[in-house]
Amino acid sequence: MKPSRMDKLDFVSAIVLLVFGIGVLVESLRMPRLEGLDINPYTVPGLVPGILGVAIAACGLAMLIRALIRGAWRLGLTGEAATGWLASAAVRRAVVTLLLTLVYAGVLFPLVPFVIATPIFVFAFTLTAEWMALGHRPPPRSLVIALVIAVVAGIAIGYVFQNLFFVRLPGG
């Protein structure tokens, strides 16, 4: 059976997810456990990231096994295929997502309080994703919808972190 294009993408994506999940797990294990403070072990800072890292790695491993069974390790990449892949819409979306996230985390978040930075990020991300999906500027109705989503998400995320997880948010 010849692997499909999707199998090949799954193979590469699975490796990325597996490595990322393991990296998250390793870094969560390096976080302080606060043993000296006699706190509940279920509230240590690295618990949730560690669980998420294991889940991401497990999903990556499942994808990798499926892709290997389908023979996707035979990528058959040529220079032309690699160039086409790099110019694809999927790679463009991934790069834009990464850039927006880096601007949020590295520029916006340190300068603006969390409760303001997060809705700005959600609004920009929503509009950018729609623009890329449509191939042109979204209609005015989409601006209103994106604004509502951003405000609701900002309020909900702030509430959950502060009142359910008891996390003090920067600037809040």
Side-chain angles (χ1 to χ4, degrees):
M1 175 169 78
K2 183 180 177 190
S4 70
R5 182 173 187 269
M6 199 62 181
D7 292 331
K8 294 175 184 180
L9 289 172
D10 281 354
F11 177 74
V12 174
S13 298
I15 292 170
V16 170
L17 286 173
L18 189 57
V19 169
F20 179 72
I22 291 169
V24 169
L25 177 61
V26 167
E27 289 302 312
S28 72
L29 292 172
R30 293 181 52 206
M31 293 179 81
R33 289 186 181 64
L34 309 173
E35 298 98 347
L37 298 179
D38 196 32
I39 64 167
N40 184 330
Y42 296 114
T43 61
V44 297
L47 182 64
V48 172
I51 292 170
L52 292 174
V54 168
I56 291 169
C59 290
L61 182 61
M63 278 178 64
L64 182 63
I65 291 168
R66 186 183 66 189
L68 289 172
I69 290 170
R70 294 179 178 181
W73 71 87
R74 298 181 297 249
L75 294 175
L77 288 179
T78 63
E80 185 177 312
T83 303
W85 178 77
L86 286 173
S88 70
V91 171
R92 208 170 24 257
R93 285 191 301 269
V95 168
V96 168
T97 298
L98 180 63
L99 289 175
L100 283 171
T101 305
L102 288 173
V103 166
Y104 168 66
V107 177
L108 188 60
F109 189 60
L111 299 176
V112 180
F114 182 88
V115 295
I116 296 171
T118 300
I120 291 171
F121 169 73
V122 171
F123 180 74
F125 186 86
T126 304
L127 283 184
T128 303
E130 186 160 347
W131 192 324
M132 290 175 63
L134 295 173
H136 58 80
R137 186 176 351 159
R141 180 173 177 251
S142 294
L143 294 171
V144 174
I145 292 170
L147 184 60
V148 169
I149 290 170
V151 170
V152 169
I155 291 169
I157 292 167
Y159 178 83
V160 166
F161 273 95
Q162 290 178 327
N163 298 312
L164 299 180
F165 295 147
F166 304 113
V167 174
R168 290 185 55 197
L169 299 174

